[in-house]
Amino acid sequence: MSTQSAPAAANRTRVTLTITAVIIAVVVIAFFVVSNLYTEVLWYEQLGFLNVLTTQWFAGAIMFLVGFFAMAIPVYVSILVAFRARPVYAKLNSQLDRYQQVIEPLRRLAMIGIPVLLGVFGGVSTATNWPIVLQWLNKTPFGETDPQFGLDVSFYFYDLPLFHGALGFASAVVLISGVGALATSYLYGALRFNGREVRISRSARVQISITAAIFIALQAASIWLDQYTTLYSPAQGFLVTGAGYTEANATIPGRAILAGIAAVVAVLFIVTAIIGRWRLPIIGTALLLVSGLVVGSLYPWIVQRFQVEPSAQTYEAPYIERNIDATREAYGVADVEEVPYSATSDAEPGALRADAETTANIRILDPAIAPNAFKQLEQFKQYYDFAPHLDVDRYEIDGQTQDTVIAVRELNQAGLGDSQTDYSNTFVYTHGYGLVAAFGNQRSSDGEPVFLESGIPSVGALGDFEPRVYFGEQSPTYSIAGGPEGSRPIELDYPSGGAESDANEQTTFAGDGGPKLDNVFKKLIYAIKFQSEQIFLSDAVTNESQVLYDRNPRDRVQKVAPYLTLDNDSYPAVVDGKIVWVVDGYTTGTNYPYSRVEQLSDMIADTYQPRPAFAVDDVNYIRNSVKATVDAYDGTVTLYSWDDEDPVLKTWEKIFPTTIKPMSDMSDQLLEHVRYPADLFKVQRAILGSYHVTDPGSFFSSDDQWITPDDPVSAAAAQTLQPPYYLTMQVPGTDAPAFSLYSTFIPRASADSTRNVLTGYLAVNSDAGPDYGKLTLLTLPKQTTQPGPGQVQNNFRTDTDVANQLALLQRGETEVRLGNLLTLPVGGGLLYVQPVYVQATSGTQYPLLRKVLVSFGDQIAFEDTLDQALDTLFGGDSGANAGDGEVVPTDATTPVDPTAPVDPTTPTEPTTPTDNAALSQALSDYQSALSDRQAAYASGDLVAAAEADERMVAAINQAIAATS
């Protein structure tokens, strides 16, 4: 008795331990899942967008249940019917009999478990499609119809995806149900194979034929809907996207015929269920397959090969016109204003007089090179940093609008090095401080940026604003900030003693930027989330502490507006006493009829935006529908409806009501800093490269295709497109200067025959107002050639005088860095401007702007300042002043040491001793050389000018010696 009870007790113990372990594992997993979901609730609730999260969860849950039951119930019913209708006295072979013996003990579990498992998969697949269903339920008409079927565009955006998705899911359900019925019928003898003979019971025949009829009927509906997908799918003929002649006259009618044949075959399966003869549906199915090959593939190929291709231009013309109109409308370029621009090549004196406001704002500070100068001059401490590419905006300074290069001084904990601790990273170093802004059109006499806002604490022309940056592009993953009122501050605010001092100011976060850690459970779940026991154990965490995370502005906007595609360049602006990040959001689509489908990431790739290895973001419709702001201090996200006519945005506003504010709620200061987004502009310039042509014949012949030139400043092997640039200028054909974004075009050609000559110049107005978003396309005549950026850069590099002076700048331990090459339509022609920086190759390295290269037509000037270079280029007087006109030029032959910039001092009035003959002679020689130099520049004789420069240096040395 005891020998039997001992193993039984051991078995019970093992079972108990196993059950206990399973229960504990389930509880632990459930806790982790629930805690993660609860942190999401806390985050959205604190930000005021909880309805965005709950709507997604509720919709996903409903769709999961729909998918679960829509899969599980039909599969269960199909298996159950097949089992109950099995032959009771069926004679089975020995192999099936063994199968039954194995399966029968698990039959009940399998009949329920298999449908449940399949239902879970079905629920997961449908849950992810909640956006399709919610958009369909809340769809907004476009008010535009397609030219083939006359349906509203909303049908292709909302109805068609839902119908296709529903038919695809239903087909999967019916197919799986049919497989379940066949397997059950076979296992229990309703379906038997005896050599070449197939025997099937009446009940199994009825069930299988009805299942097949439903499946074929679903395919008929799917084939019918495929007619409409031809309007945004690749075509067989000339069109990249949309139904051409072959699709309209062969493919679409063919699919209608195939859908009819499939419907007849479905009826034949129903007939089989009634009369029991399989020959008719088998013949019908074979006919359907043959028809699919003949009507669906062969006939369209014959039409394309023998009817369309011999006279393609004639047959395709109306469909090309559809494609042109739809593409221009879908990408927002239908209203581009084309202005013929016969650019002159003659640099006449006074030519820039009419463009004085444009030349005064020419930006010579390159935002891609300036970061190192900003870091060296304004970083102050190793735990601060600036973005690798600065932003360009504009501010009103002393009544004048100034293009500004701006950057936020963000926190960089990696700069602390080995002194980092979990405590300091979490509680002490929590935020960046202030921003730095420099005039885009100015430089100091030693080549440094001229700051209009700088220092710690920040001082300058931007007024008083909250300088602390808790939410930025480089903020830490999380920080814990805030505390009880009157408690001792522990957060480092800013270094109060300057760069060489360790004195610091402390602060306590006083905003509402994250969930409060006001109970043990919240501390526990966030300790688990961030895998840090500090959150749970540290006495620095109080009931008033807040955990700040998801701090990147783009990440915050993406979470509260998951339906938006965001611009890659978020930029800071001082608005209403705060630093805010401005983020542009797009609504996109891929189903706009006849609009060309392109990959978004490919279209926006350039020097600053890398091309992905695999692009999966197809679009053929885009609108800048939302402008969002993120408060840099407390992380508040505000969404504004920028394009309130966009039907896609209207649909999402119905799904997430109250989350988007109208444009009228934007403050005047915020409107002053909105920009036309760069990614949208890059998409539009890519489209206009082909679709500036509106004549179908010319479009077909591809005789006027354009592309964006490669960036001449980037490495030759990179072959990246030149990015667009922000500038304040008056574009020909417009009434006044405006903050604009521009790009250029050259002819599209193969690599061996590329000609880098300008064919077009695209600019868009970026100032909020009635002209915001107005696209102006300057088209240059084909009879004359204007050098493109590549040619101009080549001319700069190969010019003998420029090369000699660059060699002087580059001698010793210095290197020359060429800035962005800007193109401006001024003076009746095209002016190219390129800043030239000098930087040490070792030690303290940061760029100093020493020279400016300019070109107009085939003429070049290379001077210390832009103002001087323009005067030299335009015969001694350009007729306008540049922003750096106050800078005193330095001599080109004087070696430059960028590691030791000299602070300018106030000049004093010199006194000339009357009895110093050597000094008098030196001054006389200097004056004579200066006159010769000016005359040489006026006549364009750069060699004589260089010789005069040398004489001036010699005269200065003589004067110094005479006064020693």
Side-chain angles (χ1 to χ4, degrees), residues 343-364:
T344 181
S345 299
D346 298 326
E348 300 291 340
L352 302 184
R353 188 164 287 110
D355 299 292
E357 195 163 348
T358 298
T359 57
N361 282 287
I362 295 177
R363 180 174 50 76
I364 57 175

Side-chain angles (χ1 to χ4, degrees), residues 818-901:
L818 299 178
N820 45 207
L821 181 59
L822 305 178
T823 311
L824 296 97
V826 294
L830 290 160
L831 173 69
Y832 286 92
V833 177
Q834 184 172 44
V836 177
Y837 293 82
V838 178
Q839 178 174 308
T841 57
S842 61
T844 303
Q845 303 176 39
Y846 69 99
L848 299 173
L849 202 164
R850 292 300 194 190
K851 292 283 186 177
V852 180
L853 277 163
V854 294
S855 174
F856 193 91
D858 58 356
Q859 301 180 55
I860 295 173
F862 188 33
E863 297 293 344
D864 291 344
T865 67
L866 176 59
D867 193 65
Q868 185 182 3
L870 293 178
D871 283 340
T872 301
L873 189 66
F874 289 93
D877 179 17
S878 67
N881 296 320
D884 62 349
E886 299 299 321
V887 177
V888 178
T890 58
D891 189 79
T893 62
T894 303
V896 178
D897 180 10
T899 64

Side-chain angles (χ1 to χ4, degrees), residues 77 125 292 294 334 363 394 655 783 872:
V77 170
S125 68
V294 175
R363 180 174 50 76
R394 70 284 197 201
I655 297 171
Q783 297 78 12
T872 301

Side-chain angles (χ1 to χ4, degrees), residues 328-377:
R328 287 168 64 95
E329 179 63 35
Y331 285 96
V333 298
D335 297 326
V336 61
E337 182 179 350
E338 294 193 24
V339 178
Y341 190 62
S342 300
T344 181
S345 299
D346 298 326
E348 300 291 340
L352 302 184
R353 188 164 287 110
D355 299 292
E357 195 163 348
T358 298
T359 57
N361 282 287
I362 295 177
R363 180 174 50 76
I364 57 175
L365 186 61
D366 186 345
I369 294 181
N372 284 340
F374 274 48
K375 291 178 182 179
Q376 188 65 33
L377 301 172

Side-chain angles (χ1 to χ4, degrees), residues 12 175 188 271 294 483 546 580 721 816 833:
R12 284 195 300 270
L175 183 62
Y188 288 95
V271 171
V294 175
Q546 301 172 40
V580 298
L721 298 184
V816 171
V833 177

Side-chain angles (χ1 to χ4, degrees), residues 78-277:
S78 181
I79 295 174
L80 182 64
V81 169
F83 174 75
R84 289 188 174 182
R86 70 192 185 284
V88 178
Y89 302 106
K91 184 177 180 180
L92 305 178
N93 59 43
S94 58
Q95 187 175 10
L96 282 178
D97 190 53
R98 286 195 299 271
Y99 285 161
Q100 279 198 16
Q101 292 177 7
V102 173
I103 293 173
E104 189 60 28
L106 302 173
R107 177 177 56 80
R108 291 182 179 276
L109 177 63
M111 288 184 64
I112 296 175
I114 291 175
V116 167
L117 180 62
L118 292 171
V120 170
F121 286 114
V124 171
S125 68
T126 56
T128 58
N129 290 317
W130 64 265
I132 296 176
V133 176
L134 289 187
Q135 286 183 88
W136 180 74
L137 293 173
N138 297 276
K139 62 183 177 181
T140 302
F142 275 63
E144 305 166 13
T145 57
D146 77 86
Q148 180 67 30
F149 298 103
L151 299 173
D152 190 88
V153 173
S154 62
F155 171 80
Y156 299 91
F157 269 64
Y158 308 126
D159 298 284
L160 205 52
L162 179 75
F163 297 160
H164 266 303
L167 286 172
F169 183 81
S171 297
V173 170
V174 173
L175 183 62
I176 293 172
S177 299
V179 170
L182 286 171
T184 305
S185 298
Y186 177 71
L187 286 173
Y188 288 95
L191 177 63
R192 287 174 289 170
F193 298 91
N194 187 12
R196 299 178 61 182
E197 183 181 9
V198 180
R199 293 183 176 274
I200 183 170
S201 68
R202 180 178 180 277
S203 58
R205 184 196 74 223
V206 171
Q207 182 180 4
I208 293 171
S209 58
I210 290 177
T211 301
I214 296 173
F215 182 80
I216 298 297
L218 291 173
Q219 304 320 300
S222 181
I223 294 171
W224 179 267
L225 289 179
D226 285 343
Q227 296 178 87
Y228 305 106
T229 62
T230 58
L231 269 60
Y232 53 82
S233 302
Q236 290 191 42
F238 174 78
L239 293 181
V240 176
T241 306
Y245 180 90
T246 299
E247 285 74 25
N249 294 277
T251 304
I252 291 174
R255 288 178 179 176
I257 293 171
L258 286 176
I261 295 174
V264 171
V265 174
V267 173
L268 293 178
F269 274 103
I270 297 295
V271 171
T272 296
I274 298 173
I275 67 175
R277 301 180 69 87

